[in-house]
C-alpha cells in the first residue's frame, strides 16, 4: 500500500511591484520541479479565488507575475492598489497547499521530422558530441519534458529535462527568420518556435503541428505544467500532417 502524499505549505514568497499595474511573486532562485509545483498550486488557487481587479497572471521559472486594474482595485479600500493586491496575495499564500510532486495537466506528443532541410544544424550538434544524427534523435526523443513556462514568443515553451549529452551553444549570429515549428537547442534547453521569428538556437528538426493559433481557444497548444514527448517522423509523414494542420 502506497503512503499518502501530504500537501505542504508554500515557502516564503517575496513581493515587488512591476510598473503600476503588476506585482511579481518570487518563490525562489533555483529552477526545479518543486518550485514549479508551488507556482502551479498558487495559480490554481488564484483561478478559483480571483480578487476584484485581477486581469491575468504569467507564471515563469521562479516567479509569478500578477496583473491588475489599479482603478478597480483602488475602489476596494483606502490603501493604494499595490498594497491592496499585495495583501490579497499574502492572504492567499496562507491557504495554498502544494503536493511535492504536482501531477502534470496532460502529456502531448510532438511529431518531429529531424535533420535535413527541417533541421539544418543537426550535423553540427552531432559532430559537437561525436555522435551520429540518429543518436542525437534517440537522445532527444527518449525524454519526457516539463513545460516550465510560455514566453519569448506566443506559445513558445521553455522545457526542462534535456540531457546535457546533446547540449549546444547558441549560434554566434542568429537567423533573421526561423520557420514556425522549428525544434531547437540552446545550451541545455530545447524548445519549439511556434511562429516565424528571429532566433539563435541550433535547429535539429521541425514539427508540422501549430503550436499557436490565435483563432483557437486557448491559442497556445501547450500550457505551463504540461508534459511533452518528441516523436520522430519521416518527411512524408511531416508533409501529410502539415497539410492536415493547415486544413487541406
Amino acid at each position: 500500500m502506497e503512503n499518502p502524499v501530504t500537501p505542504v505549505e508554500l515557502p516564503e514568497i517575496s513581493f515587488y511591484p512591476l510598473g503600476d499595474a503588476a506585482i511579481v511573486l518570487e518563490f525562489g532562485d533555483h529552477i526545479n520541479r518543486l518550485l514549479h509545483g508551488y507556482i502551479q498550486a498558487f495559480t490554481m488557487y488564484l483561478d478559483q479565488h480571483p480578487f476584484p481587479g485581477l486581469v491575468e497572471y504569467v507564471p515563469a521559472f521562479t516567479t509569478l507575475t500578477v496583473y491588475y486594474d489599479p482603478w478597480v482595485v483602488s475602489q476596494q479600500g483606502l490603501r493604494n492598489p499595490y498594497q491592496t493586491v499585495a495583501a490579497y496575495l499574502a492572504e492567499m499564500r496562507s491557504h495554498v497547499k502544494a503536493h511535492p510532486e504536482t501531477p502534470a495537466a496532460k502529456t502531448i506528443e510532438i511529431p518531429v521530422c529531424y535533420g535535413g532541410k527541417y533541421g539544418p544544424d543537426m550535423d553540427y550538434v552531432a559532430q559537437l558530441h561525436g555522435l551520429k544524427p540518429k543518436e542525437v534523435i534517440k537522445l532527444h526523443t527518449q525524454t519526457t519534458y516539463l513545460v516550465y513556462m510560455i514566453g519569448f514568443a506566443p506559445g513558445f515553451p521553455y522545457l526542462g529535462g534535456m540531457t546535457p549529452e546533446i547540449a549546444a551553444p547558441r549560434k554566434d549570429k542568429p537567423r533573421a527568420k526561423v520557420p514556425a515549428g522549428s525544434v531547437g537547442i540552446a545550451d541545455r534547453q530545447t524548445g519549439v518556435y511556434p511562429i516565424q521569428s528571429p532566433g539563435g538556437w541550433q535547429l535539429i528538426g521541425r514539427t508540422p503541428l501549430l503550436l499557436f493559433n490565435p483563432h483557437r481557444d486557448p491559442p497556445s497548444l501547450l500550457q505551463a505544467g504540461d508534459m511533452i514527448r518528441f516523436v520522430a517522423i519521416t518527411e512524408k509523414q511531416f508533409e501529410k500532417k502539415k497539410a492536415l494542420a493547415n486544413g487541406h
Side-chain angles (χ1 to χ4, degrees):
M1 181 177 177
E2 295 183 357
N3 294 325
V5 177
T6 303
V8 297
E9 293 186 359
L10 301 190
E12 291 298 320
I13 302 172
S14 300
F15 297 80
Y16 58 88
L18 181 66
D20 61 357
I23 183 169
V24 179
L25 286 66
E26 190 171 76
F27 289 73
D29 56 5
H30 290 83
I31 300 172
N32 57 57
R33 292 200 176 198
L34 182 59
L35 208 60
H36 173 78
Y38 291 151
I39 295 173
Q40 286 293 99
F42 201 101
T43 59
M44 290 177 63
Y45 190 88
L46 198 54
D47 268 341
Q48 297 165 1
H49 306 82
F51 60 82
L54 172 65
V55 175
E56 64 171 342
Y57 56 79
V58 179
F61 281 126
T62 61
T63 62
L64 177 67
T65 301
V66 178
Y67 293 87
Y68 56 87
D69 184 326
W71 174 251
V72 174
V73 172
S74 67
Q75 305 304 304
Q76 308 305 314
L78 299 176
R79 292 178 292 181
N80 70 42
Y82 172 77
Q83 290 176 333
T84 301
V85 174
Y88 282 141
L89 298 174
E91 173 64 18
M92 286 183 182
R93 177 200 165 277
S94 64
H95 297 292
V96 179
K97 303 288 185 183
H99 288 275
E101 295 183 5
T102 302
K106 53 189 174 184
T107 299
I108 299 171
E109 288 191 350
I110 305 292
V112 179
C113 186
Y114 286 95
K117 64 180 181 182
Y118 301 109
D121 300 320
M122 172 61 83
D123 289 343
Y124 167 78
V125 174
Q127 292 171 9
L128 183 66
H129 296 282
L131 300 171
K132 296 179 180 178
K134 65 180 182 181
E135 294 175 307
V136 174
I137 297 171
K138 181 179 180 180
L139 290 168
H140 194 254
T141 55
Q142 71 180 13
T143 300
T144 300
Y145 300 88
L146 170 64
V147 180
Y148 273 94
M149 59 178 284
I150 300 294
F152 165 62
F156 184 98
Y158 282 88
L159 308 176
M162 192 187 79
T163 173
E165 294 177 81
I166 53 175
R170 297 168 187 265
K171 301 185 76 67
D172 292 334
K173 183 179 180 181
R175 290 183 172 90
K177 294 181 180 179
V178 175
S182 294
V183 177
I185 288 175
D187 299 322
R188 294 182 59 175
Q189 292 192 89
T190 186
V192 186
Y193 288 84
I195 58 175
Q196 178 177 288
S197 66
W201 292 32
Q202 305 289 348
L203 307 182
I204 61 171
R206 196 183 305 169
T207 179
L209 296 187
L210 294 175
L211 266 66
F212 182 79
N213 182 347
H215 304 295
R216 192 169 55 198
D217 185 19
S220 178
L221 176 66
L222 305 173
Q223 310 297 328
D226 289 345
M227 303 294 291
I228 75 168
R229 284 196 299 268
F230 294 108
V231 180
I233 59 173
T234 65
E235 183 174 348
K236 185 177 181 179
Q237 291 172 318
F238 175 94
E239 295 300 337
K240 184 177 180 179
K241 290 178 180 293
K242 183 71 174 178
L244 289 172
N246 289 330
H248 299 302

